[in-house]
Every structure is written in structure tokens, then in C-alpha cells.
Amino acid sequence: MAYSEEIRKRRTFAIVSHPDAGKTTLTEKLLLFGGAIHVAGAVKSNKIRKTATSDWMEIEKQRGISVATSVMAFDYADHKINILDTPGHQDFAEDTFRTLTAVDSVIIVIDIAKGVEAQTRKLMEVCRMRKTPVIVFVNKMDRDGKDPFDLLDEIEEELQIKVRPLSWPIDMGQRFKGVYNIYEEKLDLYTPSKQFVTESVEIKDINSPELENHIDPDLAAKLRSDLELIEGVYPAFDVETYLKGDIAPVFFGSALNNFGVKELLDCFIKIAPSPRPVQAIERVVDPEEENFTGFVFKIHANMDPNHRSCIAFVKICSGRFERNVNYKHVRYDKWMRFSSPTAFMAQKKETVDEAFAGDIVGLPDTGNFKIGDTLASGENLHFKGLPSFSPEMFMYIENADPMKAKQLNKGIEQLMDEGVAQLFTNQFNGRKIIGTVGQLQFEVIQYRLLHEYGAQCRWEPISLNKACWIESDNVEMLDNFMKRKVQYMALDKDGRNVYLADSAYVLTMAQHDFPDIRFHFTSEF
Ligand code: G4P
């Protein structure tokens, strides 16, 4: 097959974490290894730099948080690495969920002191749903934290995934000495203040007295007994089980001190999947097929009021994408070609002539694309698997300027297509309800409606707890339910029935009283 070499070299993944666990620091260290950046601190300042060089995210500038999701690509050891960045702020969790539909694997960063946190739990849920292979990096070993065995138990319990340590720490905090790299059977020693592994010795037999030449006898004894316990408790590492998403290998290190990062990367390129087959409604698409296919997983708005342009981020699922070649926009049944597709090499955005399965291309757009749209070399394919989750917060959206009703409706429609939030239309009174995962999104919507569409909106509180997509084979019961709950029934953007429950209690009662109705908390079921 023509492009198989290119495609097998690719590793497209996301690093996710609860804010502050060290995602940005780890990303930066990976970029340093790839030679994509040369000084530490470049990624951190990227949050500022991004807004300085483009006007994409005016809001970002104002609030100092990274709203954007972008791509960082670099070459490392004959592999092409594509890291998809995800917004750190949890109000933009939906963006992160969607980005996870475009990756082939994930690295989860966990802080040794804080353990599994709320955001990590949610993200892992998405990975589990999609069977995405996950590697865990336990960060901040230079600080005191939880006992590593306790943390592994916590990960298994809280994230509902089996784990398998592939490295093991030797002490922690100020006494942190390094790790035994189980995967490569070597001892990697750490010196505080040095930004790399200061000594690396192969020790295949952990019982060899050689170990005592490098670490104190009591630490050596502890390491031996820890490793014995690991071998006894955890199954041997098996790549296939990892690739199926059934087991997560675990590494320990310190991103800030660049310790354990290269080891993680070296193992990652060996075991992490290259682009995987993608399920479309019609059939499974293999990345090595010659014909180009891809889908839009993210739309990044240009916040400049004078140009309402966006960049649609397309994940290439198969074949080769070429500049200035006609591809079919399946939903529109229209051929389109792109004269300036961009790729994201390191931190630069540049025009590309070609890209392969696993890569992400950015297509300048003026409102043609919606999240989930398919582009293909001709075949009528529809990629699936971009679920909406029940929002956490709800507000009625009202028009505050009667002269601009049209603009408001257009703005709402386009922002929803971009995936900024979800729109529900009440079936009883026709009022529009916007659902989000965080307060910030309401502000983003109001700001963008005004600046990009010249429309003004007003929010009116509504007390709702959850949106549930409902279905049933029992038509009579469904009908009955919808009549009884008529004030709480809405349609989502695709015209599907959604029950908006006003409290957890009412929802539980409804589930109890209407046993033949299935209540779904995501739109994909
Ligand atoms: P995030 O993207 O997941 O939100 O986390 P980020 O990398 O920004 O890291 C959060 C904080 O944790 C930063 O400190 C960072 O320096 C620190 N950190 C990351 N890795 C390690 C590690 O291995 N050991 C220790 N001790 N700290 C680590 P900050 O004070 O918030 O920012 P800064 O002033 O250092 O930039």
C-alpha cells in the first residue's frame, strides 16, 4: 500500500490531566526532545504568544486561560509525533472530549501528591467509552506524595482501568533517587537540579549485587521487595492488552526536572498505536486505504470582528490529503478544494502540500463546516463517534435587541455548529435553552454574539439538573411520559427528544416510574 510507511510512523495523541498536574510542563519537555523548541518555558509563554501573533482568541487574552486546542507536531527517532493540545480550563471540557475523538492514544498525567482528581476521572470515562489506549505518567516525584502502591490502587479504582507499572520510583521528595525502568531493565538515577538522567545502568537481574554499587543497601532492598510485589500482583505487560484499552502502563518521573520523560517517550513510540481504523456509519475505514477521508473534530474561531472566519481542524482517517485537490464535503454533497491548508509543525502554523492519515490539517473556513463533518475523495461516508454529553448548566437565551433577531439566530446556530455549547428547544413553549459545562461559556457566547454577529442576548436562569436523551420500544409509555413531562421536553439540534430533568430526585423518580424508557446522558447510544 502506497502510504503505509508514512502512516505507521505517526503517533497522534493527547496529554490530559487535571489542571496543575503538569500537562504543559510534560508537553514542553517532549517538544524539547523532539528539537521542536530549544528553550524551556516556550510552551508556557505560548499561552501568551498565541494571542500576540493572532487575534483568534480575544477572550484568551482577556482571561489569560488557554481556550484554544491546537496541535504540536515534531519528528523523533524516525517517528512523526502529533500532540493535540487540550484546554486546561475545565469550563472547556467539551473541547477536550472532542479532541479525544481525534487521537489514537492518550497520556494521563497524575500528580503524586494529589492522586486522581475530578477532571481526570471524566477524561478517563471518555477514553474508556472509546477504548483509547492510555499511558499514565505519575508526575512530581521530586515532591512528597502518596505511597506508589496506594496510588496505583486509587487509579485502578477511580479510573476503572487495570494498571501495570513499567517503571518504579526509588523513594520520593527530597530523597528521590530515580527509577528502575522495568520496561528496559535499567536503573535511571536522578540528581536534583540536573535536567536529565544523570546515570543510567543496565541491570537485568535486580538481585545482582551491582545494584548496591549505585544505591544504598536499604533502598536496594526496598526496591527488590517492591519489584517482587509488582511481579506478583500485576500481570506481565502485554502490548495487545494496552492497545485494546484494557490496561494502562504507568511511568513515574518529574516533568519539571525532565526526569523519566525521555524514557516515557522512548517506550511510547514503541508501544503506542499508529493511526487506527476508524468506524464510519457505513463501514470501518482503514488508515492505509489510498483514498483520503477525514472528519472535522474542532472549529477554532477567529475572534476578529471584521472577518468571521474559522479554522476547521480535520483529522485525516485514511490516505493522503493534498493541497488544491477536490474533496467532497459529504453533508453538503459539494466538492471543495483548499488552497491554504495548514499543518502545525512545532509551534508554527504553515501551509502544507500534503498530509497523511494520523495528521491534523487546519482548513480556513467561513461557516461551511460543522463539528463531525466528513470530507472524502468521493465516497459518501459519515464518521461517527462525536458524542454530546449532558451539559451541567442551563440558561434560557433571549433576544435583547429586537432589531437583530435574525443575526441572533444565525449566531446561535453557527456557534452551536462549532460546538461551543448545546442548544435545546423547549417543545412546550419554543424557548431556546443553552446548555454548557461551565459558566465561562455563557460569557463567551454573549461576547461572540455581540462582536461577530452584532446581536445582543440576555440570559435568564432556569433550574435544570441534567439533559437526557430518551428512547423506548414501548411507544405508549414514551408518549405517556412526554405528555406528563411536556414542560420539560425539548429537542436537541438534530431534532431528537431530550428530557430536561430539574433535579436528580425527579430524574430517579422518572426512571423508576417509566421502566421501559432508556435515559441516556450522552447523545451517542
Ligand atoms: P498543567 O498544564 O497540567 O496545568 O500544569 P503545568 O505544567 O502548568 O504545571 C503546574 C505547576 O506544577 C507548575 O508550577 C509547574 O512548574 C509544576 N510542576 C510540573 N511538573 C513538576 C514536577 O515534576 N515537579 C514539581 N515540583 N513541580 C512540577 P507553577 O508554580 O504553577 O508554575 P511555574 O511558575 O513553575 O511556571
Side-chain angles (χ1 to χ4, degrees), residues 317-385:
C317 297
S318 68
R320 182 169 70 145
F321 171 92
E322 285 175 276
R323 190 160 81 94
N324 279 329
V325 166
N326 277 306
Y327 296 116
K328 190 173 188 179
H329 183 316
V330 175
R331 182 170 55 89
Y332 278 179
D333 194 21
K334 191 171 104 182
W335 292 86
M336 296 174 82
R337 58 193 201 130
F338 304 92
S339 57
S340 46
T342 48
F344 306 83
M345 221 26 209
Q347 298 180 302
K348 286 196 299 287
K349 198 158 92 13
E350 47 196 44
T351 303
V352 284
D353 292 321
E354 60 171 17
F356 295 90
D359 288 339
I360 311 295
V361 286
L363 305 178
D365 176 42
T366 48
N368 285 314
F369 288 114
K370 267 195 202 190
I371 300 278
D373 274 346
T374 301
L375 272 182
S377 300
E379 191 178 348
N380 279 329
L381 275 176
H382 298 83
F383 285 105
K384 60 176 204 175

Side-chain angles (χ1 to χ4, degrees), residues 92-105:
F92 294 92
E94 280 276 332
D95 270 6
T96 305
F97 297 154
R98 269 195 297 269
T99 299
L100 293 183
T101 64
V103 301
D104 298 303
S105 71

